Amino acid sequence: MGNTTKTRSEPQTEGQSVAVAAESAKESLPEKAPRNEISRLTMANAEHGADQADRGMRKEYFNGGGAGKFLPPVFKLLELAVAIVCIGLIDDPAHNSRLRVFISTRTVALAYATFATFLVFSVIYLFGKVIRENFPWKLSSLLNLTGFILYLATAACILSDWSETKNRNYWPPNTQRMDFLCGAGSVAVVGALFYLLDLIVTVRLGMKGEIE
């Protein structure tokens, strides 16, 4: 009888040890699970934050005027090209109006003053953009308004002189100068439109605070 009690007690001790081991394993598992969940949550939050930052940068660039800030320099490049073309077109008629008048002296003075002045302004503006020195938007708007008025007045004077010369019923031997004069007036009208659009864009961006 003593032997049987000893053999029965031994399996009970082994079963108890197995149960204790199982319980300790169960208790240890919940400790690791929260750590894995925390790491997954931190990784998910990091990815979500990076995604939101990327979307915010895109929204700020495209919807917050990032692309619109490039419009004034583009207009200044076009205005610079217009000034160069106008000076090139008006040079021959202006310097060959001594014997046959193609363009009046007052129109020549107004044209050279307008084209040369705003050519210099466009160059200074673009150079400031290169070295990251911006013009105040109010000053740029004032100069754009002045450029619009002067280019429109110059175009009107040039085309008026061209029309008067054409209505005299005599054509000089070299009609190419008349074509240059008409071309200068037409390009000056295009330049006036560029300055008007530049004025509208600059005022709009400045009022929104997107440019300084």
Side-chain angles (χ1 to χ4, degrees):
M1 294 293 291
N3 294 328
T4 57
T5 54
K6 288 182 181 180
T7 55
R8 288 179 182 175
S9 62
E10 288 176 358
Q12 289 179 356
T13 55
E14 291 177 358
Q16 291 176 356
S17 61
V18 171
V20 171
E23 289 177 358
S24 61
K26 289 180 181 179
E27 291 176 356
S28 61
L29 285 175
E31 294 179 356
K32 294 181 179 179
R35 294 179 182 177
N36 294 330
E37 291 179 358
I38 291 172
S39 62
R40 290 176 183 176
L41 288 174
T42 53
M43 290 176 65
N45 290 331
E47 292 177 357
H48 183 65
D51 189 18
Q52 283 186 346
D54 189 18
R55 290 180 181 177
M57 291 176 65
R58 290 179 182 178
K59 185 176 181 181
E60 181 180 359
Y61 182 80
F62 290 104
N63 297 331
K69 292 180 181 179
F70 292 101
L71 288 177
V74 171
F75 279 119
K76 284 295 174 287
L77 285 173
L78 296 174
E79 292 157 7
L80 177 63
V82 165
I84 294 172
V85 171
C86 287
I87 291 174
L89 289 173
I90 205 173
D91 183 71
D92 193 12
H95 286 83
N96 291 279
S97 293
R98 296 177 182 177
L99 298 178
R100 292 184 175 89
V101 177
F102 297 96
I103 184 171
S104 65
T105 306
R106 290 177 296 178
T107 303
V108 171
L110 178 62
Y112 275 117
T114 300
F115 300 149
T117 300
F118 284 94
L119 185 147
V120 173
F121 168 61
S122 298
V123 171
I124 294 174
Y125 183 91
L126 292 173
F127 180 73
K129 286 294 183 181
V130 171
I131 62 175
R132 297 182 180 180
E133 290 291 336
N134 296 322
F135 274 86
W137 70 270
K138 293 182 180 179
L139 177 60
S140 297
S141 300
L142 178 61
L143 291 174
N144 288 332
L145 177 61
T146 307
F148 166 70
I149 295 172
L150 288 178
Y151 263 84
L152 193 62
T154 303
C157 291
I158 292 174
L159 293 176
S160 177
D161 289 350
W162 173 78
S163 179
E164 288 179 3
T165 305
K166 182 180 177 181
N167 292 331
R168 288 175 188 169
N169 293 325
Y170 96 93
W171 290 89
N174 188 2
T175 59
Q176 187 177 9
R177 294 191 180 101
M178 294 290 294
D179 297 335
F180 286 161
L181 195 62
C182 181
S186 301
V187 176
V189 172
V190 176
L193 292 177
F194 282 156
Y195 275 101
L196 179 60
L197 293 174
D198 194 2
L199 172 64
I200 294 172
V201 171
T202 303
V203 171
R204 183 178 179 182
L205 294 176
M207 293 295 291
K208 288 183 178 180
E210 296 175 3
I211 58 175
E212 296 179 358

